[in-house]
Amino acid sequence: MASKDRILRLKEETRCNILDASLKIVKEGGWDALSMRKIADEIEYTAPIIYEYYSNKGAILLELTRKGFLLLAKDLQAAKDKHRLPAKQLEAMWLAYWNFAFAEKELYQVMYGVETSCCEMAKKMPESEMPMDLIWDVIVELMLPHVGTEEEICIKYYTFWSVIHGLISINMVNRGNTAETNHEVLKTAISGIIRSIKG
Amino acid sequence: MASKDRILRLKEETRCNILDASLKIVKEGGWDALSMRKIADEIEYTAPIIYEYYSNKGAILLELTRKGFLLLAKDLQAAKDKHRLPAKQLEAMWLAYWNFAFAEKELYQVMYGVETSCCEMAKKMPESEMPMDLIWDVIVELMLPHVGTEEEICIKYYTFWSVIHGLISINMVNRGNTAETNHEVLKTAISGIIRSIKG
DNA sequence: TTAAAAAATTTAACACTGTTAAGTAAATGA
DNA sequence: TCATTTACTTAACAGTGTTAAATTTTTTAA
């Protein structure tokens, strides 16, 4: 019976509509704005029918996560295919990774557990700059006697901070590395950057 | 009147108790478990009196954030004071930063917006390994003809990933850098790691 | 000591959240 | 046309942050 097919097609369509509606809501108002009732509103149904398509809210997030990983993989593959030399490929792929994160900000957030709201005000908190100031000073000392421009110090600082914070974040949400591997990554990264500062 | 002082002291104490109770709840059940009513339960009051001490839930989070930054700064200073050479100081400080993140995991999470719950299941999702696989292959190619051990490749991969993910996270929650600075950090980090892989 | 004023604390309520069970309307099959 | 299944909605529960009103306790003044 063809009507069965039609119904199945419609079901698949609403399943997809739910994801699209969710992403739309998140893009408009952030992850806090996402609720079952708003999704239902968007697809012109009431909340309970969403549970016919996804067992709960978490399942929707998981499906968006999956979508994100597929999209990211596609971008990485495309970036790789544009070059022949592995070094060039690698550079292009990480740049593609970077671009994906901001082009599909909301997907990246749910994929890797990056929150967004609470820390907006933390910027205005003077205490939040204390760690940076402390480390900044030591970087300057390390560069002596040829202290670079503010921009150069900034780049050093953020390179340090990025690799450490990145490794911490990855371990917190994913915690899949051994302690030895982590320390190895840490030590090589830190000493590498320190060497590059020394010249 | 000395009784005024006593009352003020008591008020300051409950203000502190609210923070302690909050942190206790979060440490026991994660950030999702934190609610005004649970805090009230913990300090043996009802929910509305919390609003006499903090204007809303966000203010409590902000105060915990502040506490976190102060504690981190203290740790960094202590690490610095243990050495004389700037290079040694810097290394010790970043290691202290690392240790703080895991010793005070909950504080670090609220300070830098690192989520924790949703991505536990994402690990089991095969799609989540596609980006890693793609990049892993290119790293191997880059190491040819002397491909290292799995551990060595892992370290390279995570160094890459950490610096990129870290820079992305920092920009998403804090977004305080210019596009040029970001690209500079990115490029120098990537080319630096690639150089170190080549030998 | 007692009455009035002030402060401290609780109860009740509102609007929201995710989720489930029961009820109702619509489409389908015989 | 009638019975059954499917589709969908309404109502409800337990929880959330937050506010206003009511109530209890404490302090002040006579």
Side-chain angles (χ1 to χ4, degrees):
Chain A
M1 285 193 189
S3 77
K4 288 277 175 199
D5 288 10
R6 199 204 67 229
I7 286 173
L8 247 97
R9 216 162 43 235
L10 278 177
K11 282 222 165 196
E12 195 49 44
E13 203 182 311
T14 35
R15 225 187 113 82
C16 192
N17 284 345
I18 290 171
L19 287 188
D20 291 347
S22 302
L23 203 53
K24 185 190 170 195
I25 292 164
V26 172
K27 278 183 179 170
E28 281 169 357
W31 283 100
D32 284 349
L34 185 65
S35 82
M36 299 302 259
R37 285 171 177 86
K38 276 183 205 150
I39 297 172
D41 250 41
E42 194 71 36
I43 61 170
E44 295 179 300
Y45 276 108
T46 50
I49 63 117
I50 301 178
Y51 292 85
E52 308 261 323
Y53 298 89
Y54 295 95
S55 62
N56 51 34
K57 193 182 179 183
I60 298 177
L61 301 193
L62 212 60
E63 199 58 39
L64 286 174
T65 306
R66 192 192 321 279
K67 222 173 162 177
F69 279 118
L70 285 171
L71 216 65
L72 173 57
K74 209 191 70 186
D75 285 7
L76 292 180
Q77 186 67 57
K80 182 185 176 186
D81 292 346
K82 283 210 185 100
H83 300 83
R84 281 201 58 108
L85 288 175
K88 284 282 170 192
Q89 286 178 332
L90 211 49
E91 191 187 331
M93 287 169 92
W94 283 120
L95 282 175
Y97 186 101
W98 171 269
N99 289 329
F100 171 86
F102 292 97
E104 301 291 344
K105 180 179 156 189
E106 294 78 17
L107 288 182
Y108 192 89
Q109 285 172 346
V110 74
M111 286 161 70
Y112 294 114
V114 181
E115 276 183 14
T116 173
S117 57
C118 83
C119 291
E120 287 217 359
M121 334 206 84
K123 261 201 308 187
K124 295 171 192 165
M125 182 161 46
E127 288 90 343
S128 74
E129 283 172 15
M130 291 171 60
M132 171 160 168
D133 290 346
L134 280 168
I135 289 172
W136 187 282
D137 291 347
V138 183
I139 292 179
V140 169
E141 273 205 57
L142 193 61
M143 291 174 108
L144 286 174
H146 303 296
V147 180
T149 64
E150 187 126 334
E151 177 80 3
E152 283 172 320
I153 305 169
C154 194
I155 289 169
K156 304 291 183 193
Y157 172 73
Y158 271 93
T159 309
F160 266 122
W161 191 19
S162 295
V163 66
I164 307 268
H165 174 66
L167 197 58
I168 288 169
S169 303
I170 288 168
N171 272 276
M172 278 196 181
V173 305
N174 210 3
R175 67 175 175 314
N177 276 17
T178 67
E180 294 85 41
T181 304
N182 280 332
H183 252 79
E184 204 58 43
V185 175
L186 253 188
K187 279 229 163 190
T188 57
I190 292 174
S191 66
I193 304 173
I194 289 180
R195 253 201 317 278
S196 92
I197 292 178
K198 281 184 177 170
Chain B
M1 288 196 187
S3 74
K4 288 276 176 198
D5 288 10
R6 199 203 68 230
I7 286 172
L8 248 96
R9 215 161 45 235
L10 279 177
K11 282 223 166 195
E12 195 50 42
E13 202 182 313
T14 34
R15 224 187 114 83
C16 193
N17 285 344
I18 290 172
L19 286 189
D20 291 347
S22 303
L23 203 54
K24 186 191 171 195
I25 292 164
V26 172
K27 278 181 179 169
E28 281 169 358
W31 284 101
D32 284 350
L34 185 65
S35 82
M36 300 302 260
R37 285 172 179 85
K38 277 183 205 148
I39 297 171
D41 250 42
E42 193 71 34
I43 61 171
E44 296 179 300
Y45 277 109
T46 49
I49 64 117
I50 302 178
Y51 292 85
E52 307 262 323
Y53 298 89
Y54 297 94
S55 63
N56 50 34
K57 193 182 179 184
I60 298 176
L61 301 193
L62 211 61
E63 201 56 39
L64 286 174
T65 306
R66 191 192 322 278
K67 223 172 161 177
F69 279 118
L70 286 170
L71 217 64
L72 172 57
K74 209 190 70 186
D75 285 6
L76 291 181
Q77 185 68 57
K80 182 185 175 186
D81 291 345
K82 284 209 185 102
H83 299 85
R84 280 201 58 107
L85 288 175
K88 284 281 172 193
Q89 287 179 331
L90 211 50
E91 191 188 330
M93 288 170 91
W94 284 120
L95 282 175
Y97 187 101
W98 171 269
N99 289 329
F100 171 86
F102 293 97
E104 300 291 343
K105 180 179 155 190
E106 294 78 17
L107 288 183
Y108 193 88
Q109 286 172 346
V110 73
M111 285 161 71
Y112 294 115
V114 181
E115 276 183 15
T116 173
S117 57
C118 83
C119 291
E120 288 217 359
M121 336 205 83
K123 259 201 307 187
K124 296 172 192 165
M125 183 161 47
E127 288 89 343
S128 74
E129 283 171 16
M130 292 170 61
M132 170 160 167
D133 290 346
L134 280 167
I135 288 171
W136 187 282
D137 291 347
V138 182
I139 292 179
V140 170
E141 274 205 57
L142 192 62
M143 291 173 107
L144 285 174
H146 304 295
V147 179
T149 65
E150 187 128 332
E151 177 80 2
E152 283 173 319
I153 306 169
C154 193
I155 289 169
K156 304 292 183 191
Y157 172 74
Y158 271 94
T159 310
F160 266 122
W161 190 18
S162 295
V163 65
I164 307 271
H165 175 66
L167 196 59
I168 288 169
S169 304
I170 288 167
N171 273 276
M172 278 196 181
V173 304
N174 209 1
R175 65 175 177 314
N177 276 15
T178 66
E180 294 84 42
T181 304
N182 280 332
H183 252 79
E184 205 58 42
V185 175
L186 252 187
K187 280 229 163 189
T188 57
I190 291 174
S191 66
I193 304 172
I194 289 179
R195 251 201 318 276
S196 92
I197 292 177
K198 282 185 176 169

